[in-house]
Amino acid sequence: MKRNFKNQTVLIEGLKKGKEDAYVYLVEHYHNQLCIYANSLIRDDLLAEDIVQNVFVQVWEKRNQLKHDFSLENYLYKSVHNKFIDQYRKGKAVMALEKKYIAALELAVEEKDEVQEQKIINILFEAIQELPPKCQQIFLMSKKEGLTNIEISEYLNISKKTVEGQITKAFCILREKLGKKYELIMLLVFGRETKSLL
């Protein structure tokens, strides 16, 4: 018998008991409006989608902490807002790092001719070819093809966490193999996501 999750107490009780239909109702009922809210804060559809997805995952993981006497809707909106603030702070940190890396990159480029720079890039791509097959596939789908973690997880039928783990693993292996002198080239080739993993 299908339960009526419009009643917040019933919905929270269903979530606390780990009922999948309660979670499906929660996502279907709140997803669009939370995405609109997140996008109004961050002005980026993909990041807004990620924020909302992370909030739903967080609700499921912490479902045992849900209380019957609070507004679930307010909790969801507050969680989206908090994740936006986290993202904003990360962005501020990235901007500060960008200045540092750009300055260092300019110095590095001045010291090398084009042949030397190409040689270093070739070494980097050789190292990528030596990554474990699944790790290499996910890394290239993300960094070369520009797919989001969610798109990769859906395409390969694996969890988003697995995708994130494999990308982090790839950067760790590359860093180990190439050493610090190649970090600027990795930054140049792969862009801003690299900074948090170097």
Side-chain angles (χ1 to χ4, degrees), residues 121-179:
I121 292 171
N122 288 342
I123 292 168
L124 173 59
F125 279 102
E126 280 169 21
I128 290 169
Q129 294 306 311
E130 291 171 16
L131 290 171
K134 181 63 77 177
C135 188
Q136 181 193 125
Q137 180 189 19
I138 291 170
F139 184 79
L140 289 175
M141 286 175 80
S142 172
K143 304 303 164 198
K144 189 179 177 186
E145 296 173 32
L147 298 178
T148 66
N149 291 352
I150 292 172
E151 287 169 336
I152 296 169
S153 72
E154 287 173 355
Y155 182 79
L156 297 177
N157 199 25
I158 55 176
S159 73
K160 186 170 170 256
K161 287 284 178 198
T162 301
V163 173
E164 290 167 356
Q166 289 291 330
I167 291 170
T168 302
K169 179 181 173 184
F171 274 116
C172 289
I173 292 170
L174 292 172
R175 183 178 57 203
E176 231 172 79
K177 284 190 176 182
L178 303 172

Side-chain angles (χ1 to χ4, degrees), residues 27 30-40 42-57 80 83 87 148-151 154 160:
V27 173
Y30 289 106
H31 183 270
N32 283 348
Q33 59 201 65
L34 289 176
C35 280
I36 291 167
Y37 175 60
N39 196 39
S40 75
I42 207 160
R43 302 289 177 194
D44 184 310
D45 288 338
L46 287 175
L47 278 178
E49 179 78 36
D50 274 352
I51 285 173
V52 172
Q53 188 61 44
N54 288 336
V55 166
F56 284 129
V57 169
V80 167
K83 289 212 176 288
Q87 193 76 38
T148 66
N149 291 352
I150 292 172
E151 287 169 336
E154 287 173 355
K160 186 170 170 256

